[in-house]
Amino acid sequence: MPIAFFPCPPRSWQLYAGVTDTKFQFPSSMKVGPLITIIFNLLAELIQLYYYVVMLACLFSFLLGFGILDPRNQIVWNISNFLFRMTEPVLRPIRNIMPNIGNIDLSPLVLLLLLQYVVMPVMGKIYGMLMVGIA
């Protein structure tokens, strides 16, 4: 089973589930299998999209911090504001738990590791249980 290493998010949560073939034969009264697969694919894509938003927010923060981008520019400010509003509700509780390490903010790293090594495998296991019928 291949494992994606940081900073690349896993492409498919089905790897974590151990399910490689999703073409099961369902009884005629049970037509939820394809719907479950679609829902889990959508959730996996949304998590992956959020992963990239967090990475972009980190990059944007570095560029603002080193003075490469001017925050007084309206477009730069709008992008910065959007990224802040998308990431801050998730990063703030992590920052409250983590100890201060000077000016270094490691909360995005913790969030990305949690997404990759906790959320995606748990989603894969839940999907595997639903598809096999254990749950």
Side-chain angles (χ1 to χ4, degrees), residues 14-44:
Q14 291 175 344
L15 295 175
Y16 293 114
V19 178
T20 56
D21 184 22
T22 58
K23 295 180 178 111
F24 294 101
Q25 296 296 326
F26 292 99
S28 61
S29 63
M30 187 175 167
K31 297 287 185 189
V32 296
L35 181 62
I36 291 174
T37 303
I38 291 170
I39 290 171
F40 273 88
N41 278 333
L42 180 65
L43 285 174

Side-chain angles (χ1 to χ4, degrees), residues 52-110:
Y52 290 126
V53 167
V54 172
M55 292 290 287
L56 186 62
C58 291
L59 177 67
F60 211 77
S61 172
F62 282 131
L63 293 176
L64 284 173
F66 287 117
I68 297 171
L69 295 177
D70 184 18
R72 294 174 292 181
N73 185 344
Q74 187 66 33
I75 296 172
V76 172
W77 186 86
N78 284 336
I79 294 171
S80 174
N81 189 29
F82 171 75
L83 293 173
F84 179 80
R85 287 175 185 246
M86 289 296 293
T87 58
E88 191 61 24
V90 179
L91 292 175
R92 186 176 297 128
I94 297 173
R95 285 188 190 117
N96 290 339
I97 294 171
M98 290 183 59
N100 289 336
I101 310 177
N103 284 338
I104 300 173
D105 184 17
L106 297 177
S107 59
L109 177 65
V110 172

